[in-house]
Amino acid sequence: MKTKKIDLNQSMNEDAMMRAVSKLRMTLQKIHLGGGKKKIEKHHSKGKMTARERIDYLIDKDSEFLEIGALAGHEMYKEYGGCPSGGVVCGIGYVRGRQCMIVANDATVKAGAWFPITGKKNLRAQEISMENNLPIIYLVDSAGVFLPMQDEIFPDKEHFGRIFRNNAIMSSKGIPQIAAIMGSCVAGGAYLPIMSDEALIVENTGSIFLAGPYLVRAAIGEKVDKETLGGATTQSEISGVTDYKMPDDKTCLDTIRDLMDKMGDFDKAGFNRTKPKSPALNPKDIYSLFPEDRTKPYDTMEIIKRIVDDSKVTEYKKGYGKTITCCYARIDGWSVGIVANHRQVVKSAKGEMQFGGVIYSDSADKATRFIMNCNQKKIPLVFLHDVTGFMVGTRSEHGGIIKDGAKMVNAVSNSTVPKFSIVMGNSYGAGNYAMCGKAYDPRLIYAWPTAKLAVMGGAQAAKVLLQIQTSSLKAQGKEPTEEETQTLYNKIKDRYDEQTSPYYAAARLWTDGIIDPLDTRKVISMGIEAANNAAVAKFNPGVIQT
């Protein structure tokens, strides 16, 4: 690989990115401890493996695991002691060479109870499974709904009950579901494993019932112990609720591997793939090329060349609509169409200067046509975000920016080939929508540590909100001093900046997680491999007019 010389600015960029990646790794290390070392030790004393240990044992040795929502719940629910990773570990892994979705309750976090974010994360895992025809494995160990927050997890459409509805939908679509009851499985949560195709239960630690011993006694006055009510022997040999009785966690996981080994294949979508090649240019250069100062320009194509195979691209309409770069390339052998915001100031064909990272009418038109071409040729789309929005002002409005922007949003919305979004830098306002933000169904959406997601930048938002609050104070006859105005501005900006953080977004599952930029190829490659299991519908561009 060729490595370019690094100047002072690039050295500063590299240091900043390395610090951001280091922070990410330290944060994840803490999250991976779940409820903490003492809870893990207590878990082990019962002869149980932790959620992450179960996944590590289940997946093929030396294979990749793409975690979904590792930062879910980050710094949320502080009044209840927090909920690391949403109390559940999810991701795409390989079991006997087959990609599958794995969902494992972390019983070291509030006994695996379901917080609102837990439900949202489970639904996201099921969504990925359904979109990509991926078999799903549930490793169940949960006390059920977290009762203090039951109103935020139980009754609504996208709450707890949706999980079981999805179980039924997946069964009707022929998507295999295997559930292992490796701990508590109580109340409504009992439906999840039993609505799966096959259910295993571990002796002494696994139990499943609609109501536990305490509730049974309170409801009907019957005294019964946990094992007699719903332990492994009861549910395997008396009720027939479960299909396999396992002596311990490892045997249970080994049996799941055997079951996966016997499955047939789905029809493939047929995305084009050749032998993978590493980038010719060193991917680590991304650290120095991506600016610490988010207002500074950079050449997006130099980033792309450090992500794609052999650093080779075929650029589409290179001289037109220059604030968006569109190109064909390969990532880990997979053919892809890349739509990326170009962050350098450029001159349009009409001689007008255009700001980098802003979507103009010509760039929206170019991206729309490119997206349609990729759909016609069945090429997966990759969106690389660093966008501050669409261009505003008289000239843009008279030029029909709303119309051209609507065409791009329409193309993204109706696209039937799988879409993958990587938020490298800014992802603001309608620019987020046009670049396939979460609302536009990307198969996967991950952020770099440098990402910011919001309706607009912190400084701009703070100025707008400050004007509103200042006007309100003046209406009340209060004239704020210059010092008070600055204090109010700083307070607003700090709060807004916190909300634009990639950690804030990942905690709420607006993204599937934060990644080291060097993992971008892995995310996209594993995502396309998963998507290749599901047929692609015919593209219908709707009302797009070209």
Side-chain angles (χ1 to χ4, degrees), residues 193-339:
I194 306 311
M195 291 188 73
S196 298
D197 301 302
E198 293 182 282
L200 305 85
I201 187 168
V202 178
E203 290 184 274
N204 301 317
T205 56
S207 60
I208 179 169
F209 28 63
L210 288 182
Y214 294 118
L215 184 54
V216 167
R217 185 173 183 181
I220 63 173
E222 179 185 358
K223 293 183 180 180
V224 62
D225 64 81
K226 190 175 179 180
E227 280 297 311
T228 302
L229 182 65
T233 299
T234 295
Q235 300 293 27
S236 295
E237 300 177 13
I238 299 175
S239 70
V241 165
T242 57
D243 305 306
Y244 307 92
K245 184 172 73 170
M246 301 284 106
D248 52 45
D249 279 10
K250 288 186 176 181
T251 306
C252 181
L253 297 169
D254 285 335
T255 303
I256 293 173
R257 288 180 55 79
D258 289 341
L259 294 172
M260 289 293 298
D261 188 46
K262 309 302 186 296
M263 287 185 187
D265 283 330
F266 289 111
D267 292 335
K268 302 298 183 185
F271 300 127
N272 185 286
R273 192 181 197 186
T274 59
K275 185 178 179 181
K277 294 181 180 179
S278 298
L281 299 172
N282 194 342
K284 290 184 178 179
D285 289 343
I286 293 173
Y287 284 14
S288 59
L289 291 169
F290 199 83
E292 176 186 11
D293 184 345
R294 299 302 307 114
T295 64
K296 288 187 175 181
Y298 63 93
D299 188 348
T300 306
M301 184 55 73
E302 291 301 315
I303 301 291
I304 293 172
K305 287 180 178 179
R306 284 156 177 82
I307 293 173
V308 303
D309 289 17
D310 205 28
S311 299
K312 286 186 177 180
V313 301
T314 303
E315 194 165 355
Y316 175 78
K317 288 184 180 288
K318 183 177 180 180
Y320 175 72
K322 297 179 183 178
T323 64
I324 283 185
T325 294
C326 297
C327 62
Y328 299 105
R330 290 189 182 276
I331 293 179
D332 200 32
W334 295 105
S335 170
V336 296
I338 298 173
V339 180

Side-chain angles (χ1 to χ4, degrees), residues 18-322:
M18 290 179 71
R19 288 195 302 271
V21 170
S22 178
K23 176 188 174 183
L24 172 63
R25 288 173 179 162
M26 288 189 290
T27 302
L28 290 174
Q29 283 176 2
K30 185 176 180 181
I31 286 172
H32 288 176
L33 291 175
K37 292 182 179 179
K38 288 186 178 180
K39 291 287 181 68
I40 292 173
E41 289 171 3
K42 185 177 180 181
H43 208 67
H44 287 163
S45 70
K46 298 177 182 178
K48 296 167 68 174
M49 303 165 76
T50 66
R52 293 185 182 278
E53 288 169 345
R54 287 167 177 167
I55 291 174
D56 286 343
Y57 187 87
L58 176 64
I59 62 175
D60 298 343
K61 302 306 176 191
D62 300 320
S63 67
E64 297 281 8
F65 180 70
L66 179 58
E67 188 163 355
I68 308 293
L71 288 149
H74 180 60
E75 296 190 342
M76 296 170 65
Y77 313 118
K78 291 180 181 179
E79 66 274 32
Y80 299 113
C83 186
S85 223
V88 60
V89 184
C90 304
I92 299 172
Y94 297 86
V95 179
R96 289 297 177 97
R98 178 193 289 273
Q99 269 192 338
C100 55
M101 174 59 69
I102 303 171
V103 179
N105 299 113
D106 186 349
T108 70
V109 179
K110 297 291 188 294
W114 289 54
F115 284 70
I117 198 67
T118 316
K120 187 174 183 179
K121 185 170 175 179
N122 274 266
L123 287 171
R124 176 61 177 147
Q126 288 184 322
E127 178 184 40
I128 293 171
S129 173
M130 287 188 284
E131 284 180 331
N132 300 291
N133 274 347
L134 288 183
I136 188 166
I137 298 169
Y138 305 101
L139 306 180
V140 186
D141 194 344
S142 172
V145 167
F146 185 63
L147 292 178
M149 302 189 75
Q150 65 85 26
D151 61 321
E152 296 182 48
I153 179 61
F154 173 71
D156 209 350
K157 180 179 178 180
E158 299 295 331
H159 283 179
F160 196 54
R162 191 78 171 182
I163 307 290
F164 318 130
R165 175 262 189 194
N166 286 350
N167 287 140
I169 296 297
M170 283 191 278
S171 286
S172 73
K173 291 184 175 182
I175 299 172
Q177 300 176 82
I178 297 174
I181 302 159
M182 310 181 81
S184 296
C185 188
V186 64
Y191 285 107
L192 185 148
I194 306 311
M195 291 188 73
S196 298
D197 301 302
E198 293 182 282
L200 305 85
I201 187 168
V202 178
E203 290 184 274
N204 301 317
T205 56
S207 60
I208 179 169
F209 28 63
L210 288 182
Y214 294 118
L215 184 54
V216 167
R217 185 173 183 181
I220 63 173
E222 179 185 358
K223 293 183 180 180
V224 62
D225 64 81
K226 190 175 179 180
E227 280 297 311
T228 302
L229 182 65
T233 299
T234 295
Q235 300 293 27
S236 295
E237 300 177 13
I238 299 175
S239 70
V241 165
T242 57
D243 305 306
Y244 307 92
K245 184 172 73 170
M246 301 284 106
D248 52 45
D249 279 10
K250 288 186 176 181
T251 306
C252 181
L253 297 169
D254 285 335
T255 303
I256 293 173
R257 288 180 55 79
D258 289 341
L259 294 172
M260 289 293 298
D261 188 46
K262 309 302 186 296
M263 287 185 187
D265 283 330
F266 289 111
D267 292 335
K268 302 298 183 185
F271 300 127
N272 185 286
R273 192 181 197 186
T274 59
K275 185 178 179 181
K277 294 181 180 179
S278 298
L281 299 172
N282 194 342
K284 290 184 178 179
D285 289 343
I286 293 173
Y287 284 14
S288 59
L289 291 169
F290 199 83
E292 176 186 11
D293 184 345
R294 299 302 307 114
T295 64
K296 288 187 175 181
Y298 63 93
D299 188 348
T300 306
M301 184 55 73
E302 291 301 315
I303 301 291
I304 293 172
K305 287 180 178 179
R306 284 156 177 82
I307 293 173
V308 303
D309 289 17
D310 205 28
S311 299
K312 286 186 177 180
V313 301
T314 303
E315 194 165 355
Y316 175 78
K317 288 184 180 288
K318 183 177 180 180
Y320 175 72
K322 297 179 183 178

